[in-house]
Amino acid sequence: MKTADVAVVGEDRRDPSRPRAWPPGASVLLFDHTHPREKPCGGGISASARRAFPEIEELVPLGKTGTRLRIAAPSGRTVSVTGDGATFAIDRAVFDAALFDRAVKLGATPIRERVSNLRRDDGAWVLETGSGPRCARVMIGADGVASLVRRRLIGRADLKHAALGAHVLVDRLESPSALVRFFGDRRGYAWVFNRRERSSIGVGMPLDRRNGWQLALAKFFTEQAPGRAMPPVVSWTLPLARGEEAFAERMAGDDWCVVGDAAGHVDPLTGEGIYYAMWGAEIAAQCVLAGRPGDYEPRWREAYLPVFLRHARTARHLEHRRRIELLVAAGSVPFLGRRIYASMTSG
Ligand SMILES: Cc1cc2nc3c(=O)[nH]c(=O)nc-3n(C[C@H](O)[C@H](O)[C@H](O)COP(=O)(O)OP(=O)(O)OC[C@H]3O[C@@H](n4cnc5c(N)ncnc54)[C@H](O)[C@@H]3O)c2cc1C
């Protein structure tokens, strides 16, 4: 059996149009059986992500940009903040399929199969699929929150550090800008993110505090889209670290790396994961290219773990209704607003 240099399980969000992000001359197998598909997700791409990955600019016209975010307290009192750059929101079916297609155009071999099992054999990874096994010397696990690669190499992630996200997609609302409304009794928020043709109306909260989420979403939907019938709800889990202990495990070894949701790399305050999946994947690719996949571990920690830890601390404010009400009433949400704005808005 021929052995490839790199196997990427799950769509790798590293932007393949950056030549430096792909090992030149390396043979890359890209396993994903799902595209095109709409992932349950707000689809918000931050201004920071746009700055870090200018290559995704060509996808911006396929979404909707915006510079303002309304932030609401549980009482409904609202302030509006303006960010320092335009964010955009886009259908994940469009965004993800575009990244996948570009990777293939740049030379990755698509294997449109689910990886059902994996093992090490004679110094290589053997990945089992419905159409037979494939081999690679290095493996990157980019296979999302229920990651097979993570389960096999590291173990399941602790559900204490997970959230439920649920939303509906409706024909685009006429709302003036994106909206984030805090619950006040738990972390997380309800949102409206406007894409080009549709709006995502959703709620996200810690998995172990998700009681009443259906009712909260239905109520929020009725307020935001009065008179409209509520479409079917789709829900998913996402990593949401409570604190530093969520990041205790190593996400790399001599011939493997785990990136994105599989590694738990989501902003604990905002739930932003697309940017960190791309950033982590780029670091992983650089380390593989240098022949040192294990270097991914110290490098992702240096690059964005400090942000995660700071935001996990800030997120604790969201569990205090009175604190949020006071901040919004005073119009002083910049410490929250800017961070959330930078992550999640669409116009
Ligand atoms: C409701 C909700 C709203 C969200 N809103 C936002 C937002 O607005 N902005 C934002 O930045 N983030 C948001 N997030 C988080 C964001 O969706 C994720 O952090 C991001 O998609 C992570 O990317 P990933 O590539 O690691 O995983 P995924 O996007 O989950 O991709 C993993 C891929 O791996 C494939 N795969 C899985 N197992 C296998 C296998 N065995 N074999 C082959 N392929 C496999 C899957 O088919 C999938 O395509 C939201 C999440 C939720 C749940």
Side-chain angles (χ1 to χ4, degrees), residues 11-284:
E11 173 203 346
D12 187 351
R13 296 192 179 288
R14 156 190 57 190
D15 193 303
S17 61
R18 291 186 161 190
R20 69 188 163 86
W22 287 94
S27 50
V28 178
L29 303 177
L30 181 55
F31 295 83
D32 203 323
H33 53 299
T34 59
H35 300 291
R37 54 97 182 96
E38 185 60 35
K39 187 197 165 183
C41 179
I45 313 280
S46 64
S48 317
R50 287 181 66 180
R51 279 193 290 271
F53 295 92
E55 304 89 331
I56 63 178
E57 286 306 294
E58 68 186 59
L59 300 177
V60 171
L62 305 176
K64 184 174 184 311
T65 53
T67 53
R68 293 186 74 71
L69 172 68
R70 289 170 294 148
I71 295 185
S75 63
R77 191 191 279 264
T78 304
V79 287
S80 194
V81 291
T82 304
D84 59 356
T87 61
F88 81 112
I90 185 167
D91 288 341
R92 289 292 298 268
V94 175
F95 187 76
D96 293 11
L99 289 193
F100 189 89
D101 290 348
R102 268 194 275 172
V104 173
K105 267 195 208 121
L106 283 151
T109 302
I111 313 286
R112 294 184 183 274
E113 300 270 0
R114 192 175 76 84
V115 175
S116 55
N117 210 347
L118 50 97
R119 61 192 154 85
R120 264 209 184 91
D121 192 6
D122 201 17
W125 291 103
V126 181
L127 297 95
E128 306 280 355
T129 72
S131 65
R134 314 278 172 141
C135 281
R137 277 194 284 275
V138 177
M139 178 171 60
I140 299 178
D143 47 344
V145 73
S147 170
L148 172 75
V149 177
R150 179 182 178 140
R151 269 182 284 137
R152 285 285 189 280
L153 272 56
I154 303 163
R156 281 179 196 279
D158 187 342
L159 289 181
K160 187 177 153 205
H161 302 293
L164 169 90
H167 81 155
V168 295
L169 287 170
V170 290
D171 287 346
R172 187 145 74 76
L173 302 180
E174 292 310 315
S175 51
S177 58
L179 170 68
V180 159
R181 188 158 94 202
F182 297 118
F183 301 117
D185 62 346
R186 64 191 91 180
R187 286 168 59 190
Y189 51 84
W191 71 79
V192 176
F193 294 153
N194 297 316
R195 304 177 184 180
R196 198 168 66 168
E197 275 142 22
R198 301 191 287 179
S199 295
S200 159
I201 304 179
V203 293
M205 58 189 76
L207 206 54
D208 58 6
R209 299 284 315 275
R210 69 185 184 283
N211 53 308
W213 70 266
Q214 291 102 329
L215 200 62
L217 177 56
K219 197 162 166 266
F220 187 63
F221 177 85
T222 309
E223 284 164 18
Q224 301 305 317
R228 295 209 203 177
M230 188 154 143
V233 177
V234 284
S235 63
W236 203 246
T237 49
L238 69 155
L240 203 72
R242 276 182 194 211
E244 193 160 7
E245 71 276 14
F247 304 106
E249 283 136 336
R250 283 183 62 82
M251 291 296 151
D254 288 344
D255 56 359
W256 60 274
C257 304
V258 175
V259 305
D261 276 15
H265 292 179
V266 169
D267 184 316
L269 173 63
T270 61
E272 176 180 26
I274 297 169
Y275 177 31
Y276 297 100
M278 293 181 76
W279 194 353
E282 182 175 68
I283 295 171

